[in-house]
Amino acid sequence: MNPLRDISRHLVRREVLLVLVIIGGVWSVSLGARTISLGDILTGNPDVWRIVLLSRIPRLVSVLLAGAGLAVSGLILQSILRNRFASPGTAATIDGARVGFVLAVLLIPEAPTLIRIIAAAVTALAATSLFVFLIGKIRYRSVVVVPLLGLVLGNVLDAAAEAIAYHFDMIQSVSSWLVGDFSMIVQGRYEVLLISIPLVLLAFRYARIFTIAGLGKETAGSLGLNYGTTVVLAVLIVSSITAVAVVVGGEIPFIGLVVPNIIAIVHGDNLSRTIPETALLGAVFLLVSDILGRIIIHPYEIPIGLTMGVVGSAVFLLMVMQGRLDGSR
Amino acid sequence: MVHAKARSNTRVILIYSAVAVLLLIMVTLYIGRGVTTTNAAYYLSRRLPKVTAMILAAGGTGIAALVFQTVTGNRLLTPSVMGIDALFVLLQTVVVALSGAEAVILTNPHLGFVVSVVLMVVFASTLLRVLFTRQQDGGGMTRVLLAGVVMGILFRSVSGFVQMVIDPNEFTVVQDNIFASVNNVSAPVIPLAAPIMAAAALIIIMHHRVLDAIALGRDQAVALGVNYSRKVGLLITAATVLVASATAMVGPLPFMGLVASNIVRHSMTSWRHRTMVFAVTITGVAILMGVELVRDFTGSVIPLGTAIKFMGGITFLALLLRGEQ
């Protein structure tokens, strides 16, 4: 037995992950330009409390919600597309959200966050639906077809966003808004992320039918599942979660790709049982990356888009090279 | 059977002659538009380098894509899918961030070109060597492609971070470099790039029979007397030099090579590299020239690279949907 696998089997369990979230959460709250200890909070120092409530807690909550939401989105996409390389980042969802976000920001600069989210969600939905539709049409059967189609469709959408940004001469601003980064999150700027809680709960509720849909159209149909409706529901949930995360926190690569695969290696593919673990591991994974980015060059920060890019690509390449991941399921 | 083949060969020759004529017309239009006896000297001095750069870049990218596909035995694998465009953007961004916009490496076109090409070739050949040595099992190509896609995402996130922190004035320098355009091709680079690219292309053309053998697969190629690993190494390096020079000269042209080579493979009756190398050059240049002409005539502000990315992506989607594999 592979010792790494043994360790991960014990590590990737609800109770352990929950403890990790709490430890990481306390650590995250204490980190910043001013170090805050648990004692400071308990003694009720009003200055400390203001910092905690205004900036530290909002940041912690955003990171946890974005991580959990994106990981669950990846899991749902992998199930309905029956491909382990599917994720919001590889199924054009993030690229779609980017187009709507850029359009909303540049055309109606004074629009409230909610309008930006709706715009991003609409384009993310359109892009993901197009992606799912095209996947069904492509005759070329290989597991690579999902990341490849994602790459191509993503590039087309990116070109659209680029043309809009170029037109407004805002390439650098757009590029920096879109880098996954939670350092600017304060009270009043993150609350919309709470929308992803009911969305994730909705995913929990329908986990069973997503699992059945993952058996394939024919099998699912013969088991009495309305396959089309299930796919539409899945795409809706995934697009909305991704849009909210992109508008509030920027683009965070790999989390939706790597986390569901770790869970699947350890726990298999029954979503009713693995969705809670996926959400928790997603939250822990993003929280650890966030903390890493905050301590490496303290008191400066590395944005989470970069730390996740490095950590995520390393983990993913390792999984691919070790042959843990052949894509089919 | 023989008759049918002969007829379709004639058709192929006809098609590519038509494309070549079209290309000539486009080149004439591009160079000759609005030229009078008084302004000819100035117009030509501006436009001839642009046309030369376009021919070199599009031809080089197309040939490189063709070689990559043959060597990997996969029609979807091209240097740009492997993340070489994202690498170029990263290099440009990092150089500006580290050394500032006035750095010699940026103001001296020759030095900038050489450094970009060398870094890209070193990176790409290292990555490819690592990946191809593990290629024996069936999943090899899947891994190569995935690794390329992942590298692309990684490079983009690093570039995104660096672009976020650099000075906006310096960013405009980055922006000029990372968006493909024939307008900012510096004429002095061409005499340096042209012989390098011509040499690389010549190596590939001289190996057209070897490429035909490699297209049959590793075992067949070895059985036919090809020193497989040496020849593959040489050809991949030549292709990387081509694509790196093209990118360093005009900027990244995503999907350009992929689309040109797939159009050629689709339209040809036989996949002999002797003809395909020329067909892919003509096709590539015609695509780039066409897009540039449309931009020119409509006065579009959309950067050439963005237009190519958009249209190339859509063409590639169409190819995927038609099940060309």
Side-chain angles (χ1 to χ4, degrees), chain A residues 184-200:
Chain A
M184 304 293 279
I185 299 276
V186 286
Q187 200 176 44
R189 286 196 53 177
Y190 79 106
E191 284 79 356
V192 277
L193 248 176
L194 298 175
I195 302 173
S196 48
I197 295 180
L199 290 169
V200 171

Side-chain angles (χ1 to χ4, degrees), chain A residues 85 134 137 139-140 144 148-149 152 155-156 158-159 162 166 172 175-176 179 303 306 309 313 316 320-321, chain B residues 76 131 142 145-146 150 154 158 160-161 163-164 166 168 171 175 179 255 306 309-310 313 316-317 322 325:
Chain A
F85 300 133
L134 290 176
K137 289 273 166 199
R139 273 178 283 161
Y140 175 50
V144 192
L148 189 72
L149 181 67
V152 178
N155 264 292
V156 171
D158 185 49
E162 213 169 81
Y166 199 91
Q172 188 181 17
S175 147
S176 35
V179 170
L306 180 64
S313 57
F316 185 72
V320 170
M321 289 301 175
Chain B
L76 306 175
L131 291 168
T142 308
L145 214 160
L146 278 172
V150 170
L154 176 64
V158 181
F161 166 63
Q163 290 175 11
M164 188 164 117
I166 66 176
F171 181 78
Q175 184 174 324
F179 281 97
F255 301 125
T306 309
K309 185 154 85 172
F310 188 77
F316 186 50
L317 278 182
R322 290 190 50 173
Q325 187 57 41

Side-chain angles (χ1 to χ4, degrees), chain B residues 9-23 260-269 275-276 278-284:
Chain B
N9 273 342
T10 324
R11 215 193 70 191
V12 170
I13 293 169
L14 268 176
I15 291 173
Y16 282 95
S17 311
V19 175
V21 171
L22 187 73
L23 185 58
S261 56
N262 271 294
I263 289 176
V264 167
R265 284 185 193 270
H266 177 66
S267 61
M268 285 285 175
T269 41
T275 40
M276 278 208 295
F278 291 105
V280 84
T281 310
I282 298 176
T283 314

Side-chain angles (χ1 to χ4, degrees), chain B residues 8-271:
Chain B
S8 50
N9 273 342
T10 324
R11 215 193 70 191
V12 170
I13 293 169
L14 268 176
I15 291 173
Y16 282 95
S17 311
V19 175
V21 171
L22 187 73
L23 185 58
L24 271 180
I25 296 172
M26 288 199 287
V27 171
T28 321
L29 260 179
Y30 191 82
I31 296 181
R33 194 157 70 101
V35 171
T36 61
T37 42
T38 45
N39 64 18
Y42 174 70
Y43 271 31
L44 293 185
S45 75
R46 296 278 300 140
R47 289 178 184 175
L48 283 177
K50 285 191 197 176
V51 170
T52 320
M54 272 194 268
I55 293 172
L56 286 173
T61 318
I63 295 176
L66 194 69
V67 171
F68 259 66
Q69 292 173 337
T70 298
V71 169
T72 58
N74 188 319
R75 278 173 68 175
L76 306 175
L77 267 178
T78 64
S80 110
V81 173
M82 298 292 307
I84 203 157
D85 296 334
L87 173 75
F88 175 76
V89 171
L90 177 63
L91 282 178
Q92 295 292 327
T93 314
V94 168
V95 164
V96 174
L98 290 183
S99 55
E102 278 84 38
V104 192
I105 186 173
L106 291 162
T107 48
N108 180 336
H110 290 131
L111 190 63
F113 177 81
V114 170
V115 170
S116 294
V117 171
V118 168
L119 283 176
M120 276 192 282
V121 170
V122 166
F123 162 79
S125 44
T126 314
L127 176 72
L128 292 169
R129 204 159 297 143
V130 171
L131 291 168
F132 284 126
T133 48
R134 294 164 173 259
Q135 193 209 321
Q136 274 70 9
D137 50 344
M141 276 308 126
T142 308
R143 282 187 209 166
V144 173
L145 214 160
L146 278 172
V149 172
V150 170
M151 292 293 185
I153 304 180
L154 176 64
F155 294 151
R156 263 188 290 279
S157 39
V158 181
S159 311
F161 166 63
V162 180
Q163 290 175 11
M164 188 164 117
V165 295
I166 66 176
D167 180 272
N169 293 320
E170 291 180 347
F171 181 78
T172 50
V173 177
V174 177
Q175 184 174 324
D176 280 346
N177 288 336
I178 61 178
F179 281 97
S181 157
V182 289
N183 292 326
N184 49 27
V185 171
S186 60
V189 167
I190 292 175
L192 179 65
I196 296 176
M197 294 179 76
L202 199 65
I203 290 177
I204 291 169
I205 292 169
M206 275 163 45
H207 281 81
H208 70 90
R209 287 178 209 283
V210 176
L211 278 165
D212 289 343
I214 289 173
L216 301 172
R218 187 196 182 102
D219 295 345
Q220 278 82 349
V222 173
L224 287 168
V226 173
N227 184 343
Y228 190 82
S229 44
R230 223 183 104 198
K231 290 296 180 193
V232 163
L234 175 72
L235 288 165
I236 284 282
T237 311
T240 320
V241 168
L242 277 180
V243 77
S245 312
T247 314
M249 193 163 51
V250 303
L253 298 167
F255 301 125
M256 170 83 219
L258 191 68
V259 169
S261 56
N262 271 294
I263 289 176
V264 167
R265 284 185 193 270
H266 177 66
S267 61
M268 285 285 175
T269 41
S270 98
W271 283 2

